Amino acid sequence: MVSADSDEIRAAVAARYAGLARAAQAGQPVTDGDPDGSCGTPAYTDADGLPEAAVRASLGCGNPVAVADLRSGETVLDLGSGGGIDVLLSARRVGPAGQAYGLDMTEEMLDLARANARAAGAENVEFLRGQIEAIPLPDGSVDVIISNCVINLSTDRPAVFAESFRVLRPGGRLGISDILAEDRLTAAERLERGAQAGCIAGAPSIAEYRGGLARAGFTSITITPAQQAGDGVHSAIIRAVKP
């Protein structure tokens, strides 16, 4: 059962990202985190030709599309797809024989993403409304799951990992960029850092993240810290496989 605190956190996250979506649609600067950008920026080198609003609303901390090594004809799902940049990049990589889904709980972000998909002329994309803890897709329907600095915001990461495992086909894989804390930090220290910048709110430890993936059934788990996002907090590249 989801607690009242969890509901409040989810509502706060949704309100924050709804505001960022409105800013992107209005052509205003969009930032997530502290003013100096220490949470990192998405490492996109392949965003040429995408709608400006999609690039402006790229609020992640890495490039999960590159991390996942997408292949032609695959079906990919982006958890917390926001303005849609990773879905549009995925659609390019999987080609017309493939399919790219984006899942987001915020109607404003979904409106922005759908407008960006129309502007990009992307036909092999679909944006779904829902929560990453309860993915609205059938069992074994996805080859690859990506996510960009979103899972750390969930108040029920075990459910996210379990749902990801469920919808992946055997041999399916995760390619995630996320914000993680070094194992040396206590829960209180992580909470203190999360209160300072939205992008690192709720950052789990590396050990917690690895353990959660393993308990869900994933294997071949690798977690590689990347850019520093604060004292003891990093953006990270996470890969895993469903046997």
Side-chain angles (χ1 to χ4, degrees):
M1 180 180 294
V2 176
S3 69
D5 286 346
S6 295
D7 286 339
E8 289 177 7
I9 292 170
R10 181 176 290 132
V13 170
R16 174 175 177 78
Y17 284 92
L20 293 173
R22 289 190 291 269
Q25 289 173 316
Q28 299 170 358
V30 178
T31 60
D32 184 28
D34 50 351
D36 67 4
S38 65
C39 283
T41 54
Y44 296 118
T45 60
D46 51 356
D48 291 348
L50 290 184
E52 182 184 352
V55 177
R56 187 184 303 117
S58 57
L59 299 168
C61 56
N63 185 350
V65 178
V67 168
D69 189 25
L70 299 179
R71 303 160 195 160
S72 177
E74 290 187 318
T75 297
V76 58
L77 167 65
D78 181 14
L79 299 181
S81 49
I85 187 169
D86 292 315
V87 175
L88 297 179
L89 290 172
S90 296
R92 284 181 176 178
R93 294 207 179 194
V94 301
Q99 176 73 27
Y101 290 103
L103 174 63
D104 206 280
M105 67 175 178
T106 309
E107 194 62 48
E108 290 84 352
M109 278 294 185
L110 289 167
D111 289 343
L112 175 61
R114 288 167 180 149
N116 287 333
R118 289 192 295 270
E123 298 182 354
N124 58 335
V125 305
E126 183 177 351
F127 290 97
L128 309 170
R129 185 171 189 184
Q131 297 173 359
I132 63 175
E133 299 85 359
I135 298 171
L137 286 173
D139 296 358
S141 57
V142 175
D143 296 300
V144 186
I145 288 177
I146 64 173
S147 188
N148 199 343
C149 201
V150 170
I151 296 174
N152 67 298
L153 298 173
S154 173
T155 58
D156 190 357
R157 279 183 291 272
V160 178
F161 296 146
E163 278 290 274
S164 297
F165 192 88
R166 178 186 67 79
V167 301
L168 280 171
R169 299 181 177 114
R173 60 196 188 277
L174 296 179
I176 295 170
S177 295
D178 214 343
I179 296 291
L180 303 183
E182 295 175 12
D183 293 334
R184 65 178 175 84
L185 296 183
T186 66
E189 288 171 333
R190 297 201 307 270
L191 182 62
E192 179 183 60
R193 285 156 176 77
Q196 296 171 358
C199 64
I200 64 173
S205 71
I206 293 172
E208 286 175 355
Y209 213 95
R210 185 188 301 277
L213 288 169
R215 284 188 291 275
F218 287 99
T219 61
S220 302
I221 302 165
T222 63
I223 298 177
T224 307
Q227 186 173 346
Q228 186 169 347
D231 178 21
V233 183
H234 303 264
S235 62
I237 295 167
I238 302 106
R239 294 183 174 95
V241 175
K242 176 177 179 175

